[in-house]
Amino acid sequence: MKFWTRNETLVALILIAFIALTAIVEPSSFSVGTFADLLRNGLVLGIFAIGVLLVLISGGIDVSFTALSAFAMYATTKALMAAGFTDSMALAFVLAGGIGIMLGCVNGFFVATLKLPTLIVTLGTLSVFRGFVLTFIGSQLISNVPSGMKDFSRSMLARGDAFDGSFYRLPTALLVLLVAVVVTWFILYRTTLGRSIFAIGGSKEAATRIGIPVVRTQYFIYAYVGMLSGIAGIVHASMARVANPFDLVGLELSVIAAVVLGGARLSGGTGTISGTLLGVALIVVINNSLITLGIPSTWQNVVIGVLILFGTGIPAWQAKRQERQA
């Protein structure tokens, strides 16, 4: 595909246009401090998007990851406080990731073993996970989160005054996103498992015929998404210093929009990490720009919906044009 027709290029151009428009209307928004804040705001969205990318590449779709994340976040926080293990952030990550893997395997069972449609399965488990946590674990907001989570939220990779006079802070939590990106990149592009994920997205029947373990690969995909979602939930609660079981659910549209805008096709077989990160950046910048420009927040969903239509419509139009030219 030509450079100028790639999704990454189009998303990057739209991103630059939004940044330029916002800077013209509100010059003070064009600062190192603002970009650091945007990076922080896109942290959890980015971790979610990296996981969802694998699902879309495999030809599936997952809308339950936010409910799964809220489940893992809230259950982990309550468990740590009940057990008195409040100092260890590593234990919080392991516990949340473990809960995420178990819940992800529930999705894997219905999708891989019972061969049910991914959208139907994850819509159902979204409701089940959310209802279970509110009914059996709790619905009260926890404002006094474990001390390890508070310390994690305060730790910074860098902070100080930038050359433009703005104050910036880069939280240590950015390392979580960085690790997720590096590990996922390695899985997708340097392992047989990654090639299997692309092959299943291209054609599940063909992948089965050439001996790819489709069921096992699908279990891995949903378990991996579950693990990343659980970890993202703990990062979210740590940064907010609040464990709220009502948080996160509702972000599905923004995350899927970011991944689709980055070039992943809902039909599967296509998607890149660089495009996904650009899509996340675009969603975060758009939300911030609408606020800066004084546009009501209710318009955010309208804009994101339009972007999804463009993000899915343009590749479909390009594919049909290439078929006509072939």
Side-chain angles (χ1 to χ4, degrees), residues 287-303:
N287 288 338
N288 182 72
S289 298
L290 293 178
I291 295 170
T292 303
L293 297 173
I295 298 173
S297 58
T298 50
W299 276 91
Q300 290 179 6
N301 287 337
V302 176
V303 173

Side-chain angles (χ1 to χ4, degrees), residues 225-250:
V225 174
M227 182 188 72
L228 288 183
S229 300
I231 291 173
I234 280 296
V235 170
H236 170 80
S238 300
M239 301 300 287
R241 300 182 195 179
V242 167
N244 185 354
F246 295 95
D247 273 356
L248 297 172
V249 176

Side-chain angles (χ1 to χ4, degrees), residues 19-198:
I19 293 174
L21 177 63
T22 308
I24 291 170
V25 175
E26 183 57 56
S28 63
S29 66
F30 192 74
S31 67
V32 174
T34 301
F35 284 112
D37 289 340
L38 292 176
L39 204 55
R40 177 189 170 98
N41 294 341
L43 180 56
V44 173
L45 201 69
I47 300 172
F48 279 144
I50 291 297
V52 171
L53 172 66
L54 262 68
V55 180
L56 291 188
I57 289 176
S58 72
I61 190 166
D62 187 347
V63 295
S64 69
F65 60 90
T66 52
L68 187 157
S69 180
F71 187 122
M73 172 262 289
Y74 196 69
T76 298
T77 305
K78 289 202 75 169
L80 291 176
M81 296 184 69
F85 297 120
T86 58
D87 296 333
S88 175
M89 193 62 198
L91 180 60
F93 279 133
V94 170
L95 189 55
I99 293 172
I101 289 173
M102 287 191 293
L103 298 181
C105 285
V106 173
N107 283 333
F109 171 76
F110 286 104
V111 172
T113 303
L114 299 185
K115 316 293 184 191
L116 297 180
T118 55
L119 179 60
I120 302 301
V121 168
T122 54
L123 273 173
T125 52
L126 180 150
S127 182
V128 171
F129 295 157
R130 185 168 171 76
F132 189 91
V133 71
L134 295 177
T135 304
F136 297 105
I137 300 180
S139 58
Q140 298 297 314
L141 182 145
I142 302 173
S143 56
N144 186 25
V145 296
S147 56
M149 293 168 66
K150 292 178 183 174
D151 294 340
F152 182 70
S153 71
R154 296 191 192 101
S155 64
M156 296 289 160
L157 291 174
R159 76 171 82 193
D161 295 322
F163 63 88
D164 57 6
S166 63
F167 181 76
Y168 70 91
R169 296 180 302 165
L170 294 177
T172 304
L174 282 172
L175 291 177
V176 179
L177 175 60
L178 181 62
V179 170
V181 167
V182 171
V183 171
T184 307
W185 175 86
F186 183 81
I187 291 172
L188 283 177
Y189 302 110
R190 290 292 182 272
T191 67
T192 304
L193 177 62
R195 288 189 285 276
S196 299
I197 295 171
F198 278 102

